Amino acid sequence: MLTAFHARPFIELKQRDKSKIDAILAYGNRLLVGLNNGSLRVYRVNDPAPTAPSKTPDGPQTAEEDGSDAPSKAGPADLLREVEKFSRRSIEQLALVKEANLLVSLSDGYVSIHDLQSPNFDVQEQLAKAKGATTFAVTSNIVKDPSTGIPSIVSRLVVVVKRKLLVWSWHDSELSSETSEILLTATARTLTWSTATRLVCGLNSGYVLVDIESKDVSEIAGPGSIGGTGGQEGGRFGGVGTAGMGYMGMGSWIPKPLATKLANEELLLAKDINTTFIDLDGKALQKRQVPWSGAPEAIGFSYPYLLALQAPTKGVLEIRNPETQSLLQSIPLQNASLLHVPQPNVSLAHAGKGFLVASDRVIWRMEAENYEVQVEQLVGSGHLDEAISLLEMIEDALLDNKDESLREVKIQKAQTLFDQKRYRESLDLFTEVAAPPERVLRLYPRVISGDHAMSAPSVDETNEISEEPAPENANGEPDAANSDRRKIQPRSRKGQAQEPKSGHRKKPSDTASVKSSVKGKLDSDKGSNQSDQPEGKKENIIEGKDLKNAVLELYGFLVQTRTQLQSYLNPDGSLKYNAQSPGRGAHGSQKPAFESLLVAPSSSADIDREQKLRDAAKLVDTTLFRAYMVENPARAGSLFRISNFCDPEVVKEKLLENKRYEDLVDFLHGKKLHRSALELLRELGDETDETEISPALRGPRRTVSYLQSLPSQHVEIILEFARWPLEQDPDLGMDIFLTDTENAETLPRDEVIHFLESLDKRLTIRYLEHIISELNDLTLGFHQKLVNLYLERLRGQSEAFKPQKSNANEEIGEWRQKLLEFLQSSSQYSTAKTFQQLPSNEPDFYEARAIVLSKMGNHKQALEIYVFKIGDHEKAEEYCNRVHLAQESGAGKDSRSSQRRSSNTDQSESIYHTLLSLYLTPPPPQQADWQPALKLLGKHGARLSASSTLSLIPTSLPVKELESYFRGRIRSANSITNESRIVTGLQKTELVAAQAGALLGDGLPNGNRGRNRSVVISDERVCGVCHRRLGGSAISVFPE
C-alpha cells in the first residue's frame, strides 16, 4: 500500500563478535550501543550519500534501490570508540539528560549517572536508593517559575524499584537534593511520560496515571486487560483469557503493558492485542482498538505514524495510521527486538527524520520517504481515504500547497464514490471541497452535462489495464524492477486517464500524482468537447432510477456552487470589486477567493480568470436547467425569474421541445433577449390551434404586459411590437403607454406621439390628454399639438376623424367641450397661433375665441363676444368673476400696503366696470341694455368705483332702480368699519396680556416671573462666579 520508510542496515556486528545488542541511544549524530557484555560502543552516524535520482513508478529511485554498487566516500556509521568496562553486566537501558550533559544507564539493577563529556563516560554517581531498579524514564521540559515567571529547564528521572517510584530532578543542570518517592500497588513494568509532571505506569494488572508533583495515583479504565484494579496482580491474563490458554503452560507469563505518546495530546495503551486511546488526563477516547495481527513486542510513534514491532520470531515492523488504524506498511526485519524513536517524536521537529530498529546483531535506520511521494503512492494504489487522513495529519509546513493536494484527493474520492453509485456521499464531498463544476459534470451523461460529458474507454483499452499487486523486496518495498509490469497505462488522445463506465471502473493508476493535478498538469482539468473525443468512445451511461437519484443529489452541489459564484459575479457578469483581492481561498490557499471554483489553466497564457468565472457560472446554471428538465420540468421556471447565466441556445431548444412557452418567455426576458421573446409572443398570439397554446398566450394581452415591463431605453422595440396590439385591440394596446408605471411615464413622448399619429390620431389625442392632465406635462409643443388635433377634428379636415357614434352632433359636442376646457385650463399653448386658427364667423368657435382673447389679456373683446355675439349675460358675468378672482389671487402675494394701493388705483379699471360700460354705453350699432346692467350693479356694485359707476348712469334713470346698488355699497362700507373695530379690540387685548406676563408673571409656571420674582438668600448661599459667601453684601440677580 505504502512505502513510508526504507530500512537501511548501517551497523552490523561481525560474525566473530560474540556480543549482542541490548540497548541503543541516539542523539545528534552519535549513537550509543549497549552490549550484553557491559561494553558501550560509540558510533558517528553519517548522512546518507546523495544519489542521482531516476524515474520510477513510485517516485525517484536511489542507487541502493536499483541494486547498483556505487561506492560512497563514507560508510553509514563509523565506530569512534568502545568503552569496555562501562558496566559489569549487560546494559539494559540508556537515556540522556542533555541539559545536564549526563548519561543515565541501567545495568544489573543499578541506575548510574555518567558524565557525557568524558571519553569513557565516567560514573558520577550510582544511585544507591535505586538498587534493584527494573526500568526508568527521563524527561526534560521548560517550566516557568510560578512566583517569578522566569522559565527554566527542568529534567526528571523516575526509577522503578519494586512497587516504588523514585524521582530525581535537575533544575537548570543542577541536581536537586530532594528525592521524592511514590508508592504503587504493584511493580511498574513500563513508564511513559504524558506531560512534564504526569507519568503513565504500566502494571501487570493495568495502567495508572501518576502525578509527580502531587503524588496522586489514579487508575486508567479501559477494555479487556487495559483496566483493572491496581492490586489485582493476575488480572485477566493471570488465568484464562484471549490468550490465557497459551499462557497457562508458560509459567503464568503476563504480556508486557506498552504505552506511547501520540500527536494531538493522546496516548495509546496496548497490552497483548487489546488497545485503548486516552487523553492527557487518562480519560478513554471513543476510538476502536487497533487490529494487531499479534501482540506487539514494542510500540512507538514517529510523526505521523504509529509503529509496532512484532515478536522477534516474526521480525516485522508494522507502520499504521493512528487515525484510521490501517496497516500501511510491513517491513520484515529479522529478529528485531528493539525500537528506538529519538525525542521529540510527536512534533514537527521529528518529521521525516526516521528512527532506529535493532536486533541482537543488526541496527537498521528507518529513513522516511518524502511526504508528497507517500501521498502519491496512496492515491496511485487507490487508497484515497488513507491519503486524505495522511494529508490531514501532516502540518502545512511539510508539504507544498497542502490544501490543494488535500482538495484534489478528496475530489478523486468523490469521483470514486460516484462510480460506486453512492451519489449523496459523492456530491456532499464535492460540495465540501468546492470542486470545479467541470470536474463534477463530466461524471454525468450528455443529457445533463452536455458537451462536458466524459467518454468511457473502449473495450480494447480496458483490456490493457492490469491490477496485479506489486511484488515486494526483502524490506517490504515495491520492487522497482517489476513495477513497470503493473503500471496502469490507458491511452487517450490527450494522454489523460480515461475512466471506465459507471459500475465497472478500475482503480486509478499507481502513477497518478496529486501534486501534478494541483499544478494543473492533468489534462482532465481541461474542458473537453464532443469533437475532442476519440473514435470508439461512449459517454457515461447512467439511466433510469440511477440517473434520477444522481440528478437529485446534484441539485445541492449546483445550488451551493451557484451561491458562491454569485458572491463574486454581478448579475451582468462583471467581477465584483472585492473578488480579485488576494486572500485565503476556499481551503486556505493564497489565491483569489473564487480560484477553487475554476479548473487549472491549460497554459500560462490562459489566465483570464474573469472569463473563466463567467464560463463556470454559465455551465452551472445551464446544467441546473438541464437537471430540472430531466427530473421535473415545472421547476425550471423558478430559475428564470432570477438572474442566471444559462446558455440561451440550450434553454430555447429544450423549452420549445417541451412546449413550455411561458418559461421560455420568462427566460428570454431575464436574458434581455426581448426581440426574440416578442417575436415568439406574436407567433403564439396569432396561433389558431387552441389545444397546444395556453389561453394566457393567445391574443395580444401577453405581449402588452411584456411591453409594459420594458424600460424606456428599449423604446424602438416597444414601438415596433406595439403596432400589433394596437391594431388588434386599441384600448388594450394603449395600456402600454397609459399605465401608471415608471416605464410608461419615462418613454420618449415625442417618439410615442409620432408613432401613434401614424396609426390613429384618436390614439394620439388620448396619449396627449394623459400626459397633460395626468402627468402634468407642460411642454408647449404637446399642448399646441392637442389644440391642433381638437380643431382638426371639429373642422372636419381629416379623414382619420370619422364619427364613431350614430349621433354625430353629440360626438361633435363632446369634442367642442374638450377644446373649451383645455383652452381654459392650459396656458402652455400659443394663444396668437390658436386665435388665428379659430374661425371668426362660425358660432361654434365664438366661445373658444373669447377664451383665447382672455388668455391674451383682451378682456373687453372677450366680453363683447359674450354680450353681443353669444348673447349670454350669465357667461359674461362668470367670465368677470373668474378674472376678478385671478386678480385677487395675484394681489394676495403682495403686502397689505400694496393691496390697498392697487385697490385704490385699479378700481376704475375693474373687469366689472368694463362689462357695465358695454351694457350702458355699447359701441354702435348696439343699444344700451338696462336690465343686465342693473343686475350687475346689484350683485357687484361694491366692487366698482362709485365715481366712475355713477358717471355711466344717465340722469334719466330713477333712483329707485339703483336701490340694490346703494344698499350693497352701504353694507360693504359697514363691514369694513366693523372689521377694523374688531381688529383694534383684539390687538388691545393682546397687548394687555403681554404686559401682564412681563410685569406680573401671570399665566407662567409657579408665578415666579416678572416683578413678582423673588430670590431667597440664606447664610450658606455663595456667589456663582467667585464662590464667596454672600452674607450682607449687595445682591445682584441675573435674569436667567
Side-chain angles (χ1 to χ4, degrees):
M1 180 188 296
L2 175 66
T3 305
F5 295 95
H6 300 274
R8 310 297 187 199
F10 73 114
I11 294 177
E12 186 173 359
L13 300 184
K14 298 180 179 179
Q15 292 184 357
R16 65 176 178 269
D17 190 349
K18 302 303 181 181
S19 58
K20 296 181 180 180
I21 301 172
D22 283 348
I24 56 176
L25 174 64
Y27 64 97
N29 65 341
R30 295 292 189 267
L31 175 62
L32 305 182
V33 179
L35 304 179
N36 63 341
N37 58 7
S39 298
L40 180 68
R41 293 181 181 178
V42 182
Y43 291 88
R44 180 180 60 228
V45 180
N46 301 318
D47 293 332
T51 57
S54 60
K55 294 183 179 180
T56 66
D58 295 327
Q61 183 180 5
T62 63
E64 294 179 9
E65 285 179 318
D66 68 359
S68 64
D69 297 326
S72 59
K73 296 182 179 180
D78 298 328
L79 178 62
L80 298 181
R81 62 185 181 275
E82 180 176 356
V83 182
E84 294 184 352
K85 296 182 180 181
F86 183 79
S87 66
R88 294 179 299 177
R89 296 184 182 275
S90 173
I91 303 174
E92 302 176 14
Q93 188 176 355
L94 294 172
L96 185 70
V97 183
K98 185 177 180 181
E99 291 71 24
N101 290 321
L102 298 177
L103 176 64
V104 184
S105 66
L106 173 62
S107 177
D108 195 22
Y110 288 94
V111 175
S112 303
I113 307 297
H114 305 264
D115 184 3
L116 190 63
Q117 301 296 328
S118 63
N120 295 325
F121 302 104
D122 298 335
V123 177
Q124 290 187 352
E125 181 182 1
Q126 190 175 62
L127 303 180
K129 292 184 178 181
K131 181 180 179 181
T134 55
T135 186
F136 67 84
V138 176
T139 185
S140 297
N141 301 276
I142 298 177
V143 179
K144 286 186 177 181
D145 187 272
S147 59
T148 63
I150 299 175
S152 62
I153 299 178
V154 178
S155 301
R156 290 185 174 89
L157 169 63
V158 178
V159 182
V160 177
V161 180
K162 297 182 180 179
R163 294 169 53 190
K164 294 185 297 182
L165 297 180
L166 303 179
V167 183
W168 285 265
S169 60
W170 286 263
H171 294 268
D172 290 333
S173 304
E174 296 293 333
L175 179 61
S176 176
S177 59
E178 297 181 0
T179 302
S180 60
E181 182 177 316
I182 303 173
L183 183 63
L184 303 179
T185 58
T187 303
R189 299 183 62 185
T190 58
L191 300 177
T192 305
W193 290 99
S194 63
T195 64
T197 60
R198 290 184 178 182
L199 192 67
V200 175
C201 301
L203 313 180
N204 287 336
S205 58
Y207 292 84
V208 294
L209 182 64
V210 179
D211 192 316
I212 301 301
E213 293 182 340
S214 64
K215 300 183 179 181
D216 293 336
V217 179
S218 57
E219 296 180 2
I220 299 176
S225 62
I226 300 299
T229 306
Q232 189 178 351
E233 281 293 331
R236 175 179 174 184
F237 288 89
V240 180
T242 304
M245 295 300 295
Y247 301 144
M248 293 178 66
M250 299 172 61
S252 298
W253 179 83
I254 300 176
K256 186 177 181 180
L258 305 176
T260 185
K261 189 174 181 180
L262 308 176
N264 301 324
E265 299 184 345
E266 295 180 4
L267 287 91
L268 172 65
L269 309 182
K271 191 173 183 182
D272 192 20
I273 61 173
N274 296 304
T275 59
T276 187
F277 292 85
I278 64 172
D279 58 15
L280 299 182
D281 296 327
K283 296 180 180 178
L285 303 176
Q286 297 299 324
K287 289 188 176 182
R288 64 186 183 91
Q289 296 194 20
V290 180
W292 306 118
S293 58
E297 182 73 13
I299 63 174
F301 181 80
S302 179
Y303 183 89
Y305 295 110
L306 175 63
L307 312 176
L309 184 61
Q310 296 295 333
T313 54
K314 295 184 178 180
V316 175
L317 177 66
E318 294 183 355
I319 313 296
R320 292 182 179 269
N321 185 328
E323 296 297 329
T324 63
Q325 303 174 8
S326 301
L327 179 61
L328 302 179
Q329 183 181 6
S330 295
I331 304 177
L333 302 172
Q334 187 176 4
N335 298 326
S337 58
L338 295 178
L339 176 63
H340 176 67
V341 182
Q343 299 293 328
N345 62 327
V346 296
S347 64
L348 289 178
H350 183 71
K353 292 187 177 180
F355 53 94
L356 302 177
V357 179
S359 67
D360 54 359
R361 305 290 298 176
V362 182
I363 300 177
W364 291 271
R365 179 168 57 185
M366 310 304 295
E367 297 178 358
E369 184 60 271
N370 183 276
Y371 289 122
E372 292 180 353
V373 175
Q374 295 182 35
V375 174
E376 292 176 10
Q377 291 178 8
L378 290 173
V379 174
S381 60
H383 297 88
L384 300 177
D385 288 327
E386 296 299 331
I388 293 172
S389 178
L390 177 59
L391 286 168
E392 290 175 345
M393 289 190 298
I394 298 176
E395 296 292 338
D396 297 354
L398 302 178
L399 283 174
D400 293 337
N401 207 347
K402 169 192 168 180
D403 296 312
E404 287 298 328
S405 300
L406 178 60
R407 178 170 176 266
E408 175 63 27
V409 177
K410 287 186 176 181
I411 290 177
Q412 294 189 28
K413 179 185 176 182
Q415 292 174 347
T416 303
L417 292 173
F418 192 93
D419 297 336
Q420 297 171 0
K421 299 184 179 181
R422 298 162 63 181
Y423 302 120
R424 173 168 297 184
E425 300 175 44
S426 173
L427 271 300
D428 287 346
L429 189 55
F430 276 130
T431 304
E432 176 189 340
V433 300
E438 292 89 340
R439 298 280 299 272
V440 180
L441 298 181
R442 288 174 194 168
L443 305 175
Y444 283 82
R446 188 173 300 277
V447 68
I448 298 297
S449 58
D451 294 338
H452 288 79
M454 178 179 286
S455 60
S458 62
V459 178
D460 296 338
E461 291 180 347
T462 305
N463 293 335
E464 294 179 4
I465 298 176
S466 173
E467 293 185 341
E468 295 180 4
E472 297 182 351
N473 56 21
N475 293 333
E477 303 169 5
D479 191 350
N482 298 324
S483 61
D484 291 338
R485 293 199 301 265
R486 63 183 180 87
K487 289 175 62 178
I488 302 176
Q489 297 177 340
R491 300 182 181 89
S492 66
R493 183 173 180 178
K494 291 188 177 182
Q496 77 180 38
Q498 300 295 321
E499 299 188 20
K501 297 179 181 179
S502 176
H504 301 279
R505 193 178 300 277
K506 301 293 184 180
K507 293 184 178 179
S509 169
D510 288 342
T511 60
S513 172
V514 177
K515 186 176 180 180
S516 61
S517 300
V518 173
K519 293 183 178 179
K521 295 181 180 179
L522 289 178
D523 289 336
S524 60
D525 281 346
K526 302 177 184 178
S528 58
N529 296 327
Q530 185 178 3
S531 59
D532 296 331
Q533 297 174 0
E535 296 181 0
K537 306 292 182 181
K538 296 181 180 180
E539 60 177 299
N540 294 343
I541 299 177
I542 306 178
E543 299 176 340
K545 186 177 180 180
D546 288 339
L547 177 60
K548 183 176 181 180
N549 294 335
V551 169
L552 289 175
E553 300 302 334
L554 181 63
Y555 286 150
F557 171 79
L558 293 177
V559 171
Q560 179 67 23
T561 305
R562 190 175 189 277
T563 303
Q564 294 177 352
L565 290 170
Q566 285 178 341
S567 62
Y568 310 132
L569 284 177
N570 292 313
D572 59 353
S574 60
L575 203 60
K576 291 187 177 179
Y577 70 96
N578 59 346
Q580 282 283 13
S581 59
R584 303 296 289 181
H587 293 271
S589 57
Q590 291 289 343
K591 293 181 179 180
F594 57 80
E595 191 75 19
S596 63
L597 299 174
L598 308 179
V599 295
S602 58
S603 65
S604 59
D606 186 15
I607 55 176
D608 188 0
R609 292 188 176 92
E610 184 175 350
Q611 181 59 41
K612 293 179 75 67
L613 197 62
R614 285 194 291 267
D615 293 341
K618 180 179 179 180
L619 174 62
V620 169
D621 285 354
T622 305
T623 305
L624 184 59
F625 163 73
R626 286 194 179 104
Y628 283 148
M629 295 304 294
V630 170
E631 191 267 331
N632 187 1
R635 301 178 61 181
S638 61
L639 181 62
F640 305 145
R641 287 185 281 273
I642 57 178
S643 60
N644 62 83
F645 295 90
C646 293
D647 188 348
E649 297 300 326
V650 174
V651 173
K652 187 174 181 180
E653 177 185 357
K654 289 290 184 181
L655 292 179
L656 287 177
E657 180 182 343
N658 290 270
K659 299 181 180 180
R660 301 195 65 83
Y661 305 115
E662 283 281 2
D663 292 340
L664 179 56
V665 171
D666 291 339
F667 170 75
L668 294 175
H669 181 272
K671 302 299 289 184
K672 295 182 172 45
L673 301 174
H674 305 302
R675 182 174 298 279
S676 300
L678 291 168
E679 289 174 351
L680 175 63
L681 289 174
R682 172 70 181 272
E683 180 181 350
L684 296 175
D686 288 338
E687 183 64 41
T688 58
D689 189 359
E690 299 182 357
T691 58
E692 297 184 357
I693 306 301
S694 170
L697 297 177
R698 292 197 295 268
R701 184 172 298 277
R702 185 67 177 87
T703 301
V704 171
S705 62
Y706 190 98
L707 293 173
Q708 289 175 337
S709 64
L710 296 182
S712 58
Q713 55 263 34
H714 299 289
V715 61
E716 295 182 359
I717 295 179
I718 294 174
L719 298 181
E720 176 183 351
F721 289 93
R723 182 179 296 272
W724 173 60
L726 289 171
E727 292 174 350
Q728 295 289 324
D729 189 345
D731 292 335
L732 178 62
M734 283 303 293
D735 289 343
I736 302 171
F737 310 105
L738 305 183
T739 306
D740 187 14
T741 60
E742 182 179 358
N743 292 337
E745 294 176 3
T746 55
L747 287 173
R749 293 169 184 174
D750 51 347
E751 297 184 27
V752 175
I753 291 172
H754 179 73
F755 166 73
L756 293 175
E757 194 171 10
S758 65
L759 291 177
D760 191 344
K761 292 186 177 181
R762 289 187 178 86
L763 303 180
T764 309
I765 292 177
R766 286 185 60 184
Y767 182 72
L768 287 171
E769 290 175 346
H770 172 73
I771 63 175
I772 293 174
S773 61
E774 299 294 336
L775 305 182
N776 195 26
D777 193 319
L778 301 179
T779 304
L780 180 63
F782 296 160
H783 287 248
Q784 187 62 45
K785 182 70 175 178
L786 183 57
V787 171
N788 295 342
L789 290 174
Y790 281 147
L791 292 175
E792 184 179 349
R793 170 66 186 90
L794 292 174
R795 297 170 65 179
Q797 296 177 352
S798 175
E799 292 295 331
F801 293 107
K802 293 182 179 179
Q804 294 181 336
K805 296 183 180 181
S806 57
N807 190 351
N809 293 332
E810 182 180 351
E811 184 178 351
I812 293 296
E814 293 178 358
W815 284 99
R816 184 185 300 112
Q817 186 63 29
K818 286 184 178 180
L819 174 63
L820 296 178
E821 292 176 356
F822 182 72
L823 291 175
Q824 185 66 45
S825 60
S826 174
S827 59
Q828 302 300 316
Y829 57 88
S830 175
T831 54
K833 183 178 180 180
T834 303
F835 186 75
Q836 293 177 358
Q837 292 178 340
L838 294 172
S840 60
N841 53 358
E842 293 186 15
D844 292 340
F845 296 98
Y846 284 163
E847 187 172 357
R849 290 174 61 84
I851 293 175
V852 174
L853 288 171
S854 173
K855 295 289 184 180
M856 299 171 65
N858 298 328
H859 301 301
K860 184 174 182 180
Q861 297 180 18
L863 289 173
E864 286 179 352
I865 294 176
Y866 281 113
V867 173
F868 301 123
K869 291 187 177 182
I870 300 178
D872 193 336
H873 302 296
E874 292 183 358
K875 287 187 177 181
E877 184 179 352
E878 291 178 0
Y879 177 85
C880 292
N881 292 337
R882 289 196 302 270
V883 174
H884 177 74
L885 292 176
Q887 291 176 349
E888 281 192 347
S889 62
K893 300 178 181 179
D894 301 331
S895 61
R896 288 185 177 181
S897 59
S898 298
Q899 282 185 352
R900 294 192 183 98
R901 288 195 300 269
S902 178
S903 176
N904 294 333
T905 56
D906 296 338
Q907 283 287 350
S908 59
E909 298 179 1
S910 172
I911 187 64
Y912 296 102
H913 184 275
T914 302
L915 180 59
L916 182 62
S917 63
L918 291 176
Y919 283 149
L920 298 180
T921 57
Q926 304 295 333
Q927 300 294 327
D929 195 348
W930 290 99
Q931 289 300 118
L934 293 176
K935 186 177 180 180
L936 179 65
L937 288 173
K939 288 184 177 180
H940 307 285
R943 298 174 178 172
L944 299 173
S945 173
S947 58
S948 60
T949 301
L950 294 177
S951 64
L952 293 175
I953 299 176
T955 57
S956 61
L957 182 67
V959 177
K960 183 179 179 180
E961 300 293 336
L962 300 176
E963 177 182 359
S964 59
Y965 167 70
F966 289 116
R967 183 173 296 173
R969 292 289 301 184
I970 295 171
R971 287 177 179 176
S972 177
N974 291 337
S975 298
I976 294 173
T977 302
N978 294 335
E979 182 181 356
S980 62
R981 290 175 179 175
I982 293 172
V983 171
T984 301
L986 292 175
Q987 291 176 346
K988 290 180 179 180
T989 302
E990 184 180 3
L991 176 62
V992 172
Q995 290 175 345
L999 299 177
L1000 305 177
D1002 292 349
L1004 298 176
N1006 302 326
N1008 190 18
R1009 295 293 186 273
R1011 293 183 176 180
N1012 287 338
R1013 183 181 180 187
S1014 61
V1015 178
V1016 177
I1017 305 299
S1018 62
D1019 293 340
E1020 291 80 13
R1021 192 72 177 267
V1022 296
C1023 176
V1025 178
C1026 64
H1027 303 291
R1028 293 181 179 178
R1029 190 181 301 277
L1030 295 177
S1033 60
I1035 306 301
S1036 296
V1037 179
F1038 292 100
E1040 65 273 17

